[in-house]
Amino acid sequence: MSTPPPPVIGVLALQGDTEEHLRVLRGIGATAVPVADPGRLDQVQGMVLPGGESTTMGKLAARYGLLEPLRKRIRAGMPAYGTCAGMILLADRIIDGAQGQETVGGIDMTVRRNAFGRQTESFEGAVDIEGLEGGPVDAVFIRAPWVESTGPDVRVLGQTGEGGAAGRIVAVRQGSLLATSFHPELTGDARIHRLFVDIVKGTA
């Protein structure tokens, strides 16, 4: 029996740390491609929405005709993984968003934008992720959001463990949609990306 080809995973390439996600995904055997137009979106089996500036990414997605196609693909069941700003884009509701800020949506959660503070308050911390073997991940938070509340179909996978923000929700999953407040693409730890690839394959 022949081995199935690796999944084709797109990384939104409008603004933010696209290259870092492409590098991690290719390093674990996925076929990873930048997506900046609806035609390329049609060719992928899953999407990563990277960190960056969520209002800018939303505006650019609308300008380049990607916002509504992304919404349709996600509503139709396409797996997606959002990190930091990407988590905001996957949220159905935002607190402290810019006026008129639009999201792609898909995860029944309320996210607080820039919840952990400004760029100068960026930090790293260990976060246990439910179902992920090998111990906690080293989570890098940069102007990160957190999840204020979730609907009944959302699984909380990880929470902060220490400091004034202890217990805040920073990793969630709803069906084939995954989101983290932090940036695993910056640490050399590919376990969360492997989990997402397995979600795209239908094995996780």
Side-chain angles (χ1 to χ4, degrees):
M1 184 181 294
S2 61
T3 303
V8 180
I9 298 178
V11 181
L12 191 63
L14 301 177
Q15 190 262 348
D17 52 351
T18 302
E19 289 300 324
E20 290 85 349
H21 283 286
L22 290 170
R23 184 167 58 247
V24 175
L25 289 164
R26 290 166 179 164
I28 58 175
T31 300
V33 296
V35 172
D37 62 78
R40 181 59 69 91
L41 177 63
D42 290 341
Q43 301 168 13
V44 305
Q45 297 160 265
M47 273 291 293
V48 172
L49 308 181
E53 211 296 308
S54 60
T55 53
T56 302
M57 290 167 73
K59 288 176 181 176
L60 289 173
R63 182 181 303 169
Y64 289 100
L66 266 169
L67 193 59
E68 199 52 42
L70 267 172
R71 286 171 175 159
K72 287 180 179 177
R73 286 291 309 274
I74 286 173
R75 282 197 297 265
M78 179 183 69
Y81 171 37
T83 63
C84 197
M87 170 185 263
I88 296 170
L89 287 174
L90 285 177
D92 284 347
R93 299 168 298 278
I94 311 174
I95 297 172
D96 292 340
Q99 185 173 0
Q101 182 171 357
E102 290 192 88
T103 70
V104 175
I107 299 181
D108 182 10
M109 63 179 174
T110 301
V111 168
R112 184 177 293 276
R113 185 169 165 261
N114 294 340
F116 286 102
R118 298 178 180 277
Q119 193 93 8
T120 54
E121 296 168 280
S122 301
F123 68 99
E124 294 185 39
V127 175
D128 285 303
I129 302 296
E130 180 190 317
L132 209 64
E133 296 181 355
V137 300
D138 182 21
V140 177
F141 295 88
I142 304 171
R143 290 181 62 202
W146 66 47
V147 179
E148 287 275 341
S149 62
T150 60
D153 296 327
V154 178
R155 269 173 56 202
V156 174
L157 300 183
Q159 296 169 272
T160 50
E162 55 190 37
R168 292 295 183 180
I169 299 168
V170 293
V172 296
R173 179 176 176 181
Q174 181 176 342
S176 60
L177 302 178
L178 182 68
T180 60
S181 299
F182 50 88
H183 293 266
E185 75 281 4
L186 300 180
T187 65
D189 185 341
R191 285 179 293 162
I192 294 180
H193 286 81
R194 288 185 192 278
L195 170 62
F196 180 60
V197 171
D198 288 342
I199 290 171
V200 176
K201 290 178 177 177
T203 58

